[in-house]
Amino acid sequence: MLLSGDLGSGKTTIAQGIAAGLGVKEPVVSPTFAIVREYEGDVRVAHVDVYRLERMQELHDLGFEEIVDGDRVVLLEWAELVMPVVGAGGDRIVVRLGAPDDGDDDDVRTIDVHAPHDRALDERLTLAVNATDLPRQAR
């Protein structure tokens, strides 16, 4: 899952919710300084934050190819910084977080979820987001 959005937009918060939904019981914390944190749940989860990387080569040095090719769900924060390397194809799901256009409420976020590789999944994700009981401006 490629998570993108401005600083403070909720990338780590949504990663925590996704990890909990995947059965991770331990606290999921921001991997900003560790870069990669791994968790056991119903499936393995790797939480990656590339904000502090200075060069694309560092992604390779971290063994990122092995992480994404493994048997785990990868939650990648700041995906927009490495999109040329990672790409949005394959089985990736793109999650963009942001503040609403009016910017009146710091606690409200917009969430845009897409599965560019799979039109049927993309449509199901849209239906799922729209079916929640979130206030309309939070979707």
Side-chain angles (χ1 to χ4, degrees), residues 87-108:
D91 58 355
R92 285 141 176 76
I93 295 173
V94 179
V95 180
R96 290 186 183 90
L97 302 164
D101 292 335
D102 60 19
D104 288 338
D105 188 344
D106 288 341
D107 292 331
V108 175

Side-chain angles (χ1 to χ4, degrees), residues 2-20 27-33 35 37 39 45 47-51 75-78 95 97 109:
L2 305 176
L3 308 175
S4 67
D6 292 335
L7 191 63
S9 64
K11 293 178 295 298
T12 298
T13 300
I14 202 162
Q16 291 167 335
I18 292 167
V28 173
V29 297
S30 175
T32 298
F33 293 99
I35 312 296
R37 294 186 185 270
Y39 301 94
V45 175
H47 187 191
V48 182
D49 185 328
V50 297
Y51 183 73
L75 306 172
L76 176 62
E77 292 194 33
W78 294 99
V95 180
L97 302 164
R109 299 290 183 269

